């Protein structure tokens, strides 16, 4: 029996605004959900440009064993991504789409027309739409077929303004993610009691799953698993 398919989406953007610093996708936000889901689902990885998706070098933390193992053994996952446009009209092949964070999505996936169309297709097919940290940037401008915002009147989370201030990158961002998520959702943005605390928000009967920050990455993977399979993932498998 074939495994259900999940489409992971990585950024193709590698420059942090006009700071001269590199950016891209954030290692633990791919590595941790991948570890949760890979044994049970067929993961397909895409990016706007296809090919190698830029890994943010600042996200490499070899003291995190899951990320370190992924970095060592799973390089084809992000070095051989498929072009996002090749998935247009194919939402029915998948059970879920998942947007990995890192600052890169703020610059490309937030406004990428192919991504926005794909999200609409997944929503129209009642598929799971999920994202973590800055990944929810892809959801800010996403609209349903009727023209309303995907996240309108739905609880949602993503990297907070306080967290962005802490890392000193607020001025480098094209927009404040928390503020924009709050606006598109109609004031429904949620966050952990303290910055950097894990926060996963499950809404729309499990069809919208978002995580606030890197600490939330495993929880997002677990929430996607639960929505697909109707049960919690076994802790012995993590």
């Amino acid at each position: 029996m074939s495994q259900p398919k999940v489409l992971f989406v990585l950024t193709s953007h590698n420059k942090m605004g006009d700071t001269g610093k590199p950016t891209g996708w954030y290692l633990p936000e791919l590595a941790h959900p991948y570890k949760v889901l890979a044994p049970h689902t067929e993961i397909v990885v895409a990016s706007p440009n296809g090919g190698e998706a830029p890994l943010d070098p600042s996200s490499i933390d070899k003291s995190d064993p899951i990320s370190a193992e992924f970095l060592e053994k799973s390089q084809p996952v992000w070095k051989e991504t498929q072009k996002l446009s090749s998935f247009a009209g194919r939402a029915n092949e998948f059970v879920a789409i998942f947007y990995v964070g890192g600052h890169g999505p703020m610059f490309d996936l937030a406004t990428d027309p192919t991504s926005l169309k794909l999200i609409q297709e997944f929503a129209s097919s009642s598929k799971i739409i999920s994202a973590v940290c800055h990944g929810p940037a892809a959801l800010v401008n996403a609209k349903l077929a009727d023209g309303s915002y995907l996240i309108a009147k739905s609880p949602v989370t993503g990297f907070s303004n306080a967290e962005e201030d802490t890392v000193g990158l607020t001025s480098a961002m094209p927009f404040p993610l928390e503020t924009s998520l709050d606006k598109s959702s109609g004031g429904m943005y949620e966050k952990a009691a303290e910055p950097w605390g894990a926060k996963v928000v499950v809404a729309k009967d499990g069809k919208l799953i978002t995580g606030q920050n890197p600490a939330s990455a495993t929880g997002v993977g677990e929430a996607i698993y639960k929505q697909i399979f109707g049960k919690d993932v076994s802790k012995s498998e993590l």
Side-chain angles (χ1 to χ4, degrees):
M1 185 175 174
S2 62
Q3 293 179 319
K5 292 170 68 175
V6 179
L7 184 60
F8 276 40
V9 183
L10 299 176
T11 182
S12 291
H13 190 88
N14 65 0
K15 290 184 172 59
M16 188 86 73
D18 57 5
T19 65
K21 295 178 180 178
T23 190
W25 56 272
Y26 212 72
L27 179 59
E29 295 167 18
L30 173 57
H32 285 251
Y34 192 91
K35 182 173 177 64
V36 173
L37 293 169
H40 314 283
T41 65
E42 179 185 344
I43 295 173
V44 180
V45 186
S47 64
N49 294 346
E52 184 169 350
L55 168 61
D56 184 340
S58 73
S59 70
I60 297 173
D61 177 7
K62 293 186 177 178
S63 68
D64 168 11
I66 291 173
S67 291
E69 181 181 27
F70 183 85
L71 184 67
E72 179 185 351
K73 298 182 178 179
S74 304
Q75 292 195 19
V77 172
W78 75 86
K79 290 189 173 180
E80 300 172 9
T81 72
Q82 299 183 49
K83 198 161 186 176
L84 193 60
S85 58
S86 69
F87 295 97
R90 295 171 57 188
N92 283 328
E93 296 179 22
F94 297 89
V95 294
I97 189 169
F98 170 60
Y99 286 85
V100 176
H103 284 92
M106 297 287 288
F107 298 91
D108 62 356
L109 292 169
T111 55
D112 184 275
T114 299
S115 177
L116 294 173
K117 183 71 168 67
L118 205 56
I119 291 170
Q120 186 177 105
E121 290 175 7
F122 270 72
S124 294
S125 300
S126 296
K127 306 295 184 176
I128 301 162
I129 297 169
S130 54
V132 68
C133 200
H134 288 89
L139 311 183
V140 167
N141 298 306
K143 292 185 176 180
L144 302 174
D146 65 6
S148 63
Y149 282 109
L150 168 77
I151 61 174
K153 301 178 183 177
S154 292
V156 67
T157 192
F159 206 58
S160 71
N161 291 346
E163 288 165 332
E164 203 73 84
D165 286 344
T166 301
V167 296
L169 290 170
T170 298
S171 63
M173 292 298 102
F175 60 92
L177 182 56
E178 174 184 331
T179 304
S180 299
L181 288 169
D182 197 54
K183 182 177 180 182
S184 294
S185 66
M188 299 289 281
Y189 175 86
E190 298 181 2
K191 58 186 173 184
E194 298 293 336
W196 311 107
K199 177 74 173 180
V200 177
V201 176
V202 179
K204 291 181 177 267
D205 296 321
K207 301 299 185 183
L208 178 64
I209 299 169
T210 50
Q212 181 177 329
N213 47 32
S216 311
T218 294
V220 169
E222 291 173 347
I224 295 169
Y225 177 96
K226 185 172 184 177
Q227 182 60 25
I228 294 171
F229 297 104
K231 61 181 181 179
D232 291 328
V233 65
S234 170
K235 293 299 182 183
S236 65
E237 298 180 66
L238 297 179

